[in-house]
Amino acid sequence: MDFIWFILIGIVSGFVAGKLMRGGGFGLIVNLVVGIIGGVLGGWLFSLLGIHTSSIIGELITSVIGAIVLLWIVGLISRHTP
């Protein structure tokens, strides 16, 4: 059951991050990938700050923030490449 929640949180967080950063989602598969990578990145960033979440809402917030950071980094890289 945890795996299903992980996938659902990844999809939702990728979609929310896409809406906040680009104004639109990327599609189901890309939202899932962005959300999962964002969840890992957000968890790593939060652990550096000493913040730990235990609820689904906390995990969703962590994943959304990580996905936003991921999209921001990708945006910086893609702007600087010719």
Side-chain angles (χ1 to χ4, degrees), residues 14 16 19 25 31 33 37 39 44 47 50-51 53 59 64 73 76 82:
V16 170
K19 286 284 193 187
N31 283 347
V33 172
I37 295 171
W44 179 71
S47 70
I51 301 170
T53 61
E59 292 172 5
V64 168
I73 291 169
L76 284 176

Side-chain angles (χ1 to χ4, degrees), residues 5-47:
W5 279 117
F6 190 68
I7 298 261
L8 290 175
I9 288 173
I11 292 170
V12 170
S13 63
F15 178 76
V16 170
K19 286 284 193 187
L20 291 174
M21 294 299 288
R22 275 190 24 176
F26 298 104
L28 183 65
I29 300 299
V30 178
N31 283 347
L32 174 65
V33 172
V34 167
I36 290 173
I37 295 171
V40 172
L41 180 62
W44 179 71
L45 290 173
F46 276 33
S47 70

Side-chain angles (χ1 to χ4, degrees), residues 41-80:
L41 180 62
W44 179 71
L45 290 173
F46 276 33
S47 70
L48 289 177
L49 298 172
I51 301 170
H52 302 284
T53 61
S54 60
S55 68
I56 291 176
I57 300 297
E59 292 172 5
L60 180 63
I61 291 169
T62 301
S63 185
V64 168
I65 290 172
I68 288 172
V69 170
L70 174 66
L71 292 176
W72 178 70
I73 291 169
V74 168
L76 284 176
I77 292 169
S78 66
R79 283 188 213 145
H80 293 296

